[in-house]
Amino acid sequence: MRTIRTAPSRDRPATYSMRPAPGELPVATWRLDHSWESTGTFEEHAHDFPGLAYFQTTGGLLRTGRRSWPIEAGDLFVVAPGDVMGHFHAGDLAHAQGWGVFFTADVLGPDVPGAHLAWRTHPLLFPFVRGGAIGALRMRVPEAERTEWTARIQALHDELTHRQDGYREAVAAHLTLLLIAVSRLAADIVGDLRENHEQLLAEVFEVIEQRYPQPLSLRDVAAAVNISPGHLTSTVRRKTGRTVQAWITERRMVQARRLLAATELPIGEIGRQVGFRDAGYFARTFGKVHGTSPAQWRRAGAEPTTRTTHPDREAPPSG
């Protein structure tokens, strides 16, 4: 899998973009272990695509944002597009044993509602939508689930390596299962933020989670966390790439999608339940975010999806 490097600027590090060869799936897996000792030193950098770094054993060091994390068994680092990864030294992973998984969203297919597949509808799935916040977000895989995590990533790696018939569908399936597992780990997003020493963000998201079905503004959130609206706006935008109001809208849209998919409630009632008093304003907001109306989104989700099978098999990618 090739990557293209964009040179650093005054306020941004070098950024890498994934560039698959024609016909190649935009998914890559890497072993994160002592083999990285021979790769030299890497500059501080970011990716414009999401990824995961999972470690099954204790040992080594991961640098992300301005932090250096001693790696422990079960550590899962969720790398959102734009997250800054720290200056990497060859010996950092000498005693580590893990996997990196990187991808672009289109690997999961062109299904409508496309960019909002089931794994994106988890309430405030912060790991992959925060927009370059604080460096990779560290989460913990429970001990009882670690063998399954390793086996799942190994299966994904094997499909990408051997490319047997049906590997495209198998890769999409394994990746989707990984992302569902991430969303389940992210259920307590407020706790994850506190563990990553982002107390203010944790408080902001806690307020949004509790109050999004009601009228809620930037001033309301600022009052709840006891800082000025101006300071809250600049801090949240700097750390997440989004405004407070955008996060309120995101949370409301998450619940709206869930209600559209799982219930037959009228559109106006769904809008009311997610904090919109005016049905027309809800429909306009939904359309602006999704590029389609709530009714069209619901119909598209109910229709059977036709997938294209790719019987061709390409040579393994280089790089």
Side-chain angles (χ1 to χ4, degrees):
M1 179 66 63
R2 293 187 306 122
T3 55
I4 303 298
R5 176 182 179 274
T6 301
S9 62
R10 185 177 64 178
D11 57 349
R12 289 294 300 168
T15 301
Y16 289 87
S17 301
M18 188 177 287
R19 291 291 185 269
E24 182 184 4
L25 290 173
V27 185
T29 55
W30 288 289
R31 293 187 185 277
L32 303 175
D33 55 24
H34 61 84
S35 62
W36 282 63
E37 287 184 279
S38 61
T39 59
T41 300
F42 290 92
E43 64 189 334
E44 184 178 75
H45 65 281
H47 311 100
D48 67 2
F49 49 87
L52 303 168
Y54 171 65
F55 295 92
Q56 48 277 41
T57 61
T58 296
L61 189 72
L62 190 76
R63 304 173 194 270
T64 168
R66 296 184 176 86
R67 298 202 61 184
S68 295
W69 293 95
I71 295 168
E72 299 179 14
D75 273 352
L76 174 68
F77 294 90
V78 180
V79 185
D83 280 348
V84 176
M85 304 303 292
H87 192 80
F88 174 79
H89 300 279
D92 286 354
L93 299 180
H95 303 289
Q97 187 176 353
W99 286 96
V101 178
F102 293 90
F103 59 95
T104 63
D106 53 305
V107 71
L108 296 172
D111 304 29
V112 177
H116 304 281
L117 295 164
W119 60 271
R120 287 289 304 272
T121 64
H122 190 280
L124 284 178
L125 184 52
F126 193 72
F128 287 113
V129 298
R130 67 186 185 276
I134 52 178
L137 189 68
R138 178 179 181 260
M139 295 194 291
R140 299 280 297 160
V141 175
E143 186 173 359
E145 300 175 15
R146 293 173 191 171
T147 299
E148 182 181 358
W149 268 77
T150 301
R152 186 178 292 131
I153 298 175
Q154 180 70 60
L156 174 62
H157 175 75
D158 291 345
E159 292 291 345
L160 289 167
T161 300
H162 301 303
R163 300 188 173 203
Q164 298 180 22
D165 290 340
Y167 86 96
R168 292 175 177 273
E169 290 78 7
V171 166
H174 286 307
L175 183 59
T176 299
L177 288 172
L178 274 175
L179 296 174
I180 290 171
V182 172
S183 76
R184 289 172 178 171
L185 286 178
D188 182 16
I189 198 60
V190 171
D192 291 330
L193 287 169
R194 289 198 172 105
E195 181 176 336
N196 285 266
H197 305 289
E198 291 291 337
Q199 183 64 30
L200 176 60
L201 288 182
E203 292 176 3
V204 167
F205 279 91
E206 189 168 34
V207 172
I208 292 173
E209 181 63 24
Q210 292 174 352
R211 296 173 57 179
Y212 77 86
Q214 310 157 18
L216 184 64
S217 67
L218 164 65
R219 290 187 176 277
D220 295 329
V221 177
V225 298
N226 296 312
I227 64 174
S228 72
H231 179 53
L232 181 62
T233 294
S234 60
T235 301
V236 171
R237 184 189 291 274
R238 174 172 55 83
K239 288 181 175 290
T240 73
R242 292 187 179 191
T243 64
V244 173
Q245 189 59 54
W247 281 115
I248 295 171
T249 299
E250 167 68 15
R251 181 61 185 96
R252 288 170 168 167
M253 293 299 100
V254 164
Q255 185 65 8
R257 295 193 298 268
R258 297 179 78 191
L259 292 174
L260 286 167
T263 76
E264 296 182 358
L265 288 171
I267 302 299
E269 175 60 19
I270 289 175
R272 189 191 66 77
Q273 289 195 19
V274 300
F276 292 87
R277 291 180 173 177
D278 181 81
Y281 182 49
F282 166 62
R284 290 192 298 273
T285 302
F286 191 96
K288 184 177 180 180
V289 172
H290 300 87
T292 188
S293 71
Q296 290 170 328
W297 196 97
R298 171 180 269 170
R299 284 196 298 270
E303 293 170 357
T305 301
T306 300
R307 291 185 179 273
T308 301
T309 301
H310 300 269
D312 56 303
R313 298 170 64 179
E314 310 87 5
S318 59

